Amino acid sequence: MFSKLLSATTVVLAAASLVSAQTSTDCDPTKKKCPDDAALGKTVTVDFSKGSNDLFKVADGTKLTYDGTGALFTINKETDAPTITSNKYIFFGKVDVEVQVAPGTGIVTSFVLQSDDLDEIDWEWLGGDKAQAQTNYFGKGDTTTYDRGAYHPVANPQDQVYKYSVEWTKDHVVWLINDKQVRELKYADAKGGTRFPQTPMQIKLGTWVAGRSDAPEGTVQWAGGKTDFSQAPFVAHYKSITIQDYSNGVKNAEKYSWKDGSDGSYQSINVITGDGSSDDSSSSSASSTATSTKASSASSTAKSTESAKSTLTTSTVSASASASATSSGSSASETATPSGTESQSAGSSSSSAPASQTSLPTTSGAFKVGFSSAALSACLLAALML
């Protein structure tokens, strides 16, 4: 009987979409001809404490304020979702964001890299979770599995500024907190590279409400519960962002051009340089040898963390257990400390990360798909009758 119950649970979990990537794109170059992507082609640092910056487009309905702490992303009601998006793309690179995330049950702060064909790399924080941050990735918008998300210990991200980073090359993605690696995804581990993020990406920063009154049950459970707007405003403080565009190893990049019939591989992207020429050789070049950072070398010294893969048991229980995951947290010796301070276990981040990293089905972006408890109950009832 127990095996029948497990089998029924497996069926309903496989049928239910527990996670969703950011599911919109203005033009998917794998489906039709699209305009070339404007390349950043350099390294840029934006200090939001000095005000707005023309590198970013402000989403409709977004009203930001700026002070000495940076850009303030404020939520007063459940329809608020302040968001900014870079108007230039990077083709592999490194992004560092200094942020004090928004508090509040059901409030989500997010830092996302996303491409035209819905490759995606994420950092996300729940306002009611004071013990950890989440990472996730998607390839080609594929949400057919839910083993990509992971949690990483960090102390009071709502009360302290931390630096969260993504280093992204054609070989791997590395996530870091205060320059210490907490996770690595290798190309081959993302379905043999077919779901590895590898096409030019924009950078998106924002906050949104997962604990909405009309949100799906699974989304609300993941977010920790409904949002109490009597506690508003909920404010995230983005202090700064540094963006390095590796341009797939090509200097003076101005545009990224998708070849006709692109399959969404990095080899199908041409780098257009300042003189208007196209360097097809860029598609097979190393994405960055000269620009590779300490995170890359750290990951290659056998201290790399495991890629986000969970068992069915983890996937089954974690969709409704974000709150309990928070309480399990980690000891002080494993927890990241604010930007500019020393960890209590300095130098142990990479080696301890596998023990503290838990693969969980997380959600990403403003459009979420919840899981149907009614469907689960019906399936379990059917199993009992077998």
Side-chain angles (χ1 to χ4, degrees):
M1 178 61 69
F2 183 64
S3 63
K4 290 180 180 179
L5 287 172
L6 284 178
S7 177
T9 304
T10 302
V11 171
V12 75
L13 286 174
S17 178
L18 299 180
V19 298
S20 178
Q22 307 232 25
T23 52
S24 64
T25 177
D26 292 336
C27 186
D28 186 339
T30 64
K31 297 178 180 177
K32 62 181 180 179
K33 182 64 178 176
C34 299
D36 293 340
D37 296 329
L40 180 63
K42 58 185 178 181
T43 298
V44 172
T45 296
V46 176
D47 181 352
F48 288 115
S49 69
K50 296 180 180 179
S52 61
N53 188 280
D54 60 10
L55 176 62
F56 288 92
K57 176 184 178 181
V58 178
D60 292 343
T62 292
K63 294 181 180 179
L64 301 183
T65 56
Y66 300 85
D67 64 17
T69 65
L72 279 59
F73 288 61
T74 303
I75 290 180
N76 285 298
K77 57 186 183 299
E78 65 179 26
T79 55
D80 289 341
T83 306
I84 61 175
T85 303
S86 67
N87 51 41
K88 299 289 182 70
Y89 288 69
I90 65 173
F91 189 11
F92 304 121
K94 187 171 186 285
V95 184
D96 304 306
V97 172
E98 290 185 299
V99 60
Q100 179 177 328
V101 306
T105 298
I107 302 298
V108 182
T109 303
S110 61
F111 153 30
V112 175
L113 280 65
Q114 188 185 48
S115 75
D116 293 341
D117 69 339
L118 300 179
D119 285 346
E120 186 176 324
I121 303 170
D122 301 341
W123 273 106
E124 288 185 311
W125 304 266
L126 301 180
D129 188 342
K130 289 182 171 291
Q132 55 200 353
Q134 300 183 25
T135 58
N136 212 340
Y137 74 94
F138 296 87
K140 313 297 175 266
D142 182 1
T143 60
T144 58
T145 61
Y146 20 84
D147 58 359
R148 289 178 289 259
Y151 286 109
H152 313 283
V154 58
N156 300 316
Q158 299 83 357
D159 303 320
Q160 305 288 346
V161 174
Y162 289 85
K163 180 168 74 172
Y164 302 90
S165 306
V166 168
E167 188 187 25
W168 169 48
T169 74
K170 68 181 181 63
D171 300 312
H172 68 186
V173 178
V174 173
W175 290 262
L176 308 97
I177 301 178
N178 287 350
D179 297 320
K180 293 181 180 178
Q181 179 180 317
V182 296
R183 181 181 181 186
E184 179 185 27
L185 169 71
K186 294 181 179 179
Y187 180 90
D189 291 335
K191 292 189 176 180
T194 63
R195 292 299 178 264
F196 182 82
Q198 57 192 282
T199 51
M201 296 203 194
Q202 293 173 289
I203 294 93
K204 301 183 179 185
L205 306 176
T207 56
W208 58 281
V209 184
R212 292 170 56 119
S213 58
D214 60 350
E217 180 185 356
T219 300
V220 174
Q221 290 176 349
W222 165 74
K226 298 284 188 181
T227 301
D228 178 5
F229 282 94
S230 70
Q231 303 298 314
F234 307 108
V235 183
H237 301 259
Y238 282 93
K239 181 180 178 182
S240 72
I241 184 170
T242 297
I243 307 170
Q244 301 178 51
D245 185 3
Y246 291 172
S247 304
N248 201 21
V250 179
K251 294 181 179 180
N252 303 317
E254 288 200 352
K255 296 179 181 179
Y256 300 125
S257 180
W258 296 64
K259 295 179 181 177
D260 290 344
S262 169
D263 60 355
S265 65
Y266 72 89
Q267 294 95 333
S268 67
I269 311 295
N270 289 335
V271 180
I272 309 299
T273 59
D275 60 5
S277 64
S278 173
D279 187 353
D280 285 337
S281 65
S282 68
S283 61
S284 59
S285 66
S287 60
S288 119
T289 52
T291 53
S292 112
T293 66
K294 292 185 292 183
S296 298
S297 59
S299 66
S300 65
T301 58
K303 296 290 185 178
S304 62
T305 60
E306 61 191 11
S307 61
K309 294 194 174 182
S310 64
T311 62
L312 171 64
T313 303
T314 302
S315 296
T316 304
V317 300
S318 58
S320 61
S322 177
S324 58
T326 301
S327 63
S328 64
S330 67
S331 66
S333 64
E334 295 176 309
T335 305
T337 54
S339 180
T341 64
E342 292 290 335
S343 168
Q344 290 184 333
S345 59
S348 64
S349 176
S350 291
S351 59
S352 63
S356 61
Q357 175 179 313
T358 305
S359 298
L360 295 171
T362 64
T363 50
S364 170
F367 299 98
K368 310 293 173 180
V369 181
F371 108 14
S372 170
S373 58
L376 178 58
S377 299
C379 199
L380 292 176
L381 180 60
L384 286 168
M385 296 174 66
L386 294 178

